[in-house]
Amino acid sequence: MSIEQALMERSGSKCELCGSEDNLAVFEVPPVEAHSDKCILACGTCRDQIEAEELDQNHWRCLNDSMWSPVPVVQVVAWRMLTRLNSEPWAQDLLDMMYLDEDLEKWARAGMPADDAVATRDSNGAVLAAGDTVTLIKDLDVKGTGFTAKRGTAVRGISLTDNPEHIEGRVNGVRIVILTKFVKKS
Ligand SMILES: [Zn+2]
């Protein structure tokens, strides 16, 4: 039986994360091994989202159900997605309820970026720390404030956030979130 057939059977031909029947395909869950125990059947939306940087938290409310899947690899993916979403209180609540045994947790963590990779880095890869000064390398429209933070603006005394791709700093007296890919350490 092919992996796809095995997964179709296991899942009842539904996305194992959100239950959708659209555009189903095998998703190999990293670290990749071509075996149905290491793959999930996932719809196009879930597959795109798993690889995307920005998560649509409304879509991932489906984890509320799929985290209870009896299939270990589905639990692993649910755990990873909830961990990525854990700045959302609902995701943190689900994560708190979730239990992975030791081996599964090891596997789940193995697919997450290593601690070193989680360091907050600027556009050149330099590690940023709280209190650093950075320079914007691009004009940034600041949502909800009606001003543009100009390229070359120095932002002093940044703070780090839970997300290594975001820092916070004050521009024009307003505290804003800035994507680290648009700054360089001064
Ligand atoms: Zn799906």
Side-chain angles (χ1 to χ4, degrees), residues 15-20 24 41-47 59-60 62:
C15 174
E16 290 184 283
L17 297 171
C18 75
S20 163
L24 295 173
L41 191 68
C43 70
T45 309
C46 284
R47 291 198 312 279
H59 181 76
W60 289 109
C62 63

Side-chain angles (χ1 to χ4, degrees), residues 8-25:
M8 287 288 185
E9 205 159 282
R10 183 174 81 192
S11 65
S13 302
K14 287 193 180 80
C15 174
E16 290 184 283
L17 297 171
C18 75
S20 163
E21 295 177 12
D22 294 335
N23 189 14
L24 295 173

Side-chain angles (χ1 to χ4, degrees), residues 49-127:
Q49 278 274 304
I50 289 172
E51 318 248 83
E53 291 190 2
E54 298 263 331
L55 298 180
D56 171 4
Q57 55 151 313
N58 286 327
H59 181 76
W60 289 109
R61 298 275 178 160
C62 63
L63 295 172
N64 203 355
D65 293 321
S66 45
M67 65 184 267
W68 305 111
S69 166
V71 180
V73 66
V74 176
Q75 296 173 24
V76 163
V77 175
W79 185 91
R80 287 180 189 168
M81 296 314 291
L82 287 171
T83 302
R84 288 176 60 188
L85 288 158
N86 73 4
S87 55
E88 304 294 336
W90 65 266
Q92 187 59 55
D93 285 349
L94 293 185
L95 210 49
D96 288 346
M97 278 192 279
M98 199 169 179
Y99 172 78
L100 295 184
D101 69 35
E102 206 176 314
D103 287 347
L104 270 191
E105 188 167 339
K106 232 188 240 169
W107 175 14
R109 285 188 194 282
M112 301 293 283
D115 280 350
D116 187 42
V118 181
T120 300
R121 291 169 189 278
D122 74 2
S123 54
N124 295 321
V127 175

Side-chain angles (χ1 to χ4, degrees), residues 117-185:
V118 181
T120 300
R121 291 169 189 278
D122 74 2
S123 54
N124 295 321
V127 175
L128 297 173
D132 281 350
T133 299
V134 298
T135 308
L136 303 183
I137 58 169
K138 183 176 181 294
D139 287 355
L140 301 176
D141 284 318
V142 184
K143 273 183 214 149
T145 63
F147 70 81
T148 299
K150 291 285 181 202
R151 180 175 172 196
T153 302
V155 183
R156 285 168 224 291
I158 61 163
S159 327
L160 303 185
T161 69
D162 288 341
N163 182 340
E165 288 162 13
H166 292 169
I167 55 172
E168 289 184 1
R170 207 169 269 283
V171 177
N172 287 3
V174 182
R175 191 161 188 80
I176 61 171
V177 172
I178 307 168
L179 294 177
T180 51
K181 64 183 172 192
F182 298 139
V183 304
K184 75 172 197 281
K185 190 168 174 168

